[in-house]
mmCIF file with all atom_site columns, all heavy atoms in Angstrom:
data_model
loop_
_atom_site.group_PDB
_atom_site.id
_atom_site.type_symbol
_atom_site.label_atom_id
_atom_site.label_alt_id
_atom_site.label_comp_id
_atom_site.label_asym_id
_atom_site.label_entity_id
_atom_site.label_seq_id
_atom_site.pdbx_PDB_ins_code
_atom_site.Cartn_x
_atom_site.Cartn_y
_atom_site.Cartn_z
_atom_site.occupancy
_atom_site.B_iso_or_equiv
_atom_site.pdbx_formal_charge
_atom_site.auth_seq_id
_atom_site.auth_comp_id
_atom_site.auth_asym_id
_atom_site.auth_atom_id
_atom_site.pdbx_PDB_model_num
ATOM   1  N  N   . CYS A 1 312 ? 0.076  69.952 86.000 1.00 92.00 ? 312 CYS A N   1
ATOM   2  C  CA  . CYS A 1 312 ? -0.503 69.990 87.343 1.00 92.00 ? 312 CYS A CA  1
ATOM   3  C  C   . CYS A 1 312 ? -0.820 68.564 87.807 1.00 92.00 ? 312 CYS A C   1
ATOM   4  O  O   . CYS A 1 312 ? -1.549 67.843 87.127 1.00 92.00 ? 312 CYS A O   1
ATOM   5  C  CB  . CYS A 1 312 ? -1.788 70.823 87.341 1.00 92.00 ? 312 CYS A CB  1
ATOM   6  S  SG  . CYS A 1 312 ? -2.642 70.749 88.928 1.00 92.00 ? 312 CYS A SG  1
ATOM   7  N  N   . CYS A 1 315 ? -5.002 68.432 88.503 1.00 89.00 ? 315 CYS A N   1
ATOM   8  C  CA  . CYS A 1 315 ? -6.021 68.458 87.451 1.00 89.00 ? 315 CYS A CA  1
ATOM   9  C  C   . CYS A 1 315 ? -5.466 68.129 86.070 1.00 89.00 ? 315 CYS A C   1
ATOM   10 O  O   . CYS A 1 315 ? -6.218 67.988 85.109 1.00 89.00 ? 315 CYS A O   1
ATOM   11 C  CB  . CYS A 1 315 ? -6.724 69.816 87.414 1.00 89.00 ? 315 CYS A CB  1
ATOM   12 S  SG  . CYS A 1 315 ? -5.665 71.139 86.750 1.00 89.00 ? 315 CYS A SG  1
ATOM   13 N  N   . CYS A 1 331 ? -0.857 76.062 89.691 1.00 93.00 ? 331 CYS A N   1
ATOM   14 C  CA  . CYS A 1 331 ? -1.690 75.744 88.528 1.00 93.00 ? 331 CYS A CA  1
ATOM   15 C  C   . CYS A 1 331 ? -2.600 76.927 88.200 1.00 93.00 ? 331 CYS A C   1
ATOM   16 O  O   . CYS A 1 331 ? -3.321 77.423 89.067 1.00 93.00 ? 331 CYS A O   1
ATOM   17 C  CB  . CYS A 1 331 ? -2.514 74.495 88.816 1.00 93.00 ? 331 CYS A CB  1
ATOM   18 S  SG  . CYS A 1 331 ? -3.581 74.042 87.448 1.00 93.00 ? 331 CYS A SG  1
ATOM   19 N  N   . CYS A 1 334 ? -6.463 75.274 88.413 1.00 92.00 ? 334 CYS A N   1
ATOM   20 C  CA  . CYS A 1 334 ? -7.130 74.902 89.658 1.00 92.00 ? 334 CYS A CA  1
ATOM   21 C  C   . CYS A 1 334 ? -6.499 75.513 90.902 1.00 92.00 ? 334 CYS A C   1
ATOM   22 O  O   . CYS A 1 334 ? -6.997 75.341 92.005 1.00 92.00 ? 334 CYS A O   1
ATOM   23 C  CB  . CYS A 1 334 ? -7.182 73.374 89.798 1.00 92.00 ? 334 CYS A CB  1
ATOM   24 S  SG  . CYS A 1 334 ? -5.605 72.625 90.252 1.00 92.00 ? 334 CYS A SG  1
HETATM 25 ZN ZN1 . LIG B 2 .   ? -4.425 72.084 88.354 1.00 75.12 ? 401 LIG B ZN1 1
#
Side-chain angles (χ1 to χ4, degrees):
C312 174
C315 72
C331 179
C334 75

